[in-house]
Amino acid sequence: MASLGWIGMGRIGTPMALRLIAAGHRLTVWDSAPEQLAPAIAHGAIAASCGAATAIGTEAVLLCVSDTNAVEEAVFGPDGVAAAGLIVDHTTIHPDQCRAMAERLRSTHGTGWVDAPISGGPRAAADGLLTVWLGGDRTDADRARQWIECYGRKISYMGSSGRGQIAKSCNQAIVASTVAIWAEMLAYAAQCGLDPSELVDTLEGSGADSGTRRTFANGLAKGEFPALSSRNMIKDLSIVADLARAHNAEMPIAQL
């Protein structure tokens, strides 16, 4: 079993870390909000004194934080883990920024970097059913796969650094557009006299069924949508829009 560092104990990072512990790996954990460490510590993880301490005596450090700034701070900040043997980043960030950090890390510290954005949400993380896209050196990605298999069911190697992030952006374009059409349709159903909440259940197993229905439709039927999901989708759609402009790809629905 491996000794690993983990940074980011949020709603998805925590169940991922817990599955690593359950598989027998030794985890040293850190989060900018110390109270977030409690579940992992209760299951045998070691609390690090700072982010950099997660790299001491560990084979790799895995990140699951909020955005590019958080990744930059965790890796290159005063208490960063740039000297770790390998960094596996599960955060969704812009592919260009991902490549830049990977190149900087390798040139300054000789450290490997795998971008490994995820999809599926907290429940899938807890059940080990996440979808994960890998980018980076193939040897590094293959090494990281043995740990990612603890919480990922579908793990795909996409190529060089940043390509995992590009694949995730494709996923987010579909998810966010599907959320939008569900919201539009449920308002339409209500105007036509149907109960939106009842309708959501009747569409289970139909051609309209999807992970989006299971994750978001019941809330949308009540006029609710998770604030954190909204924040993340706006961030991710900004990446999609930027990549579309850079590559002259017409994406009118996603851009709208």
Side-chain angles (χ1 to χ4, degrees), residues 3-5 28 46 48-61 80-81 83-85:
S3 292
L4 303 169
T28 301
I46 300 169
S49 57
C50 63
T54 62
I56 299 173
T58 58
E59 295 181 34
V61 175
V81 294

Side-chain angles (χ1 to χ4, degrees), residues 105-137:
L105 193 66
R106 190 173 295 280
S107 64
T108 57
H109 291 83
T111 300
W113 175 291
V114 176
D115 50 295
I118 57 176
S119 181
R123 177 61 64 85
D127 293 341
L129 301 177
L130 290 173
T131 297
V132 191
W133 299 273
L134 306 182
D137 179 83

Side-chain angles (χ1 to χ4, degrees), residues 25-55:
H25 298 296
R26 297 177 295 278
L27 228 58
T28 301
V29 297
W30 187 83
D31 191 280
S32 57
E35 65 275 9
Q36 298 281 75
L37 302 180
I41 293 172
H43 284 80
I46 300 169
S49 57
C50 63
T54 62

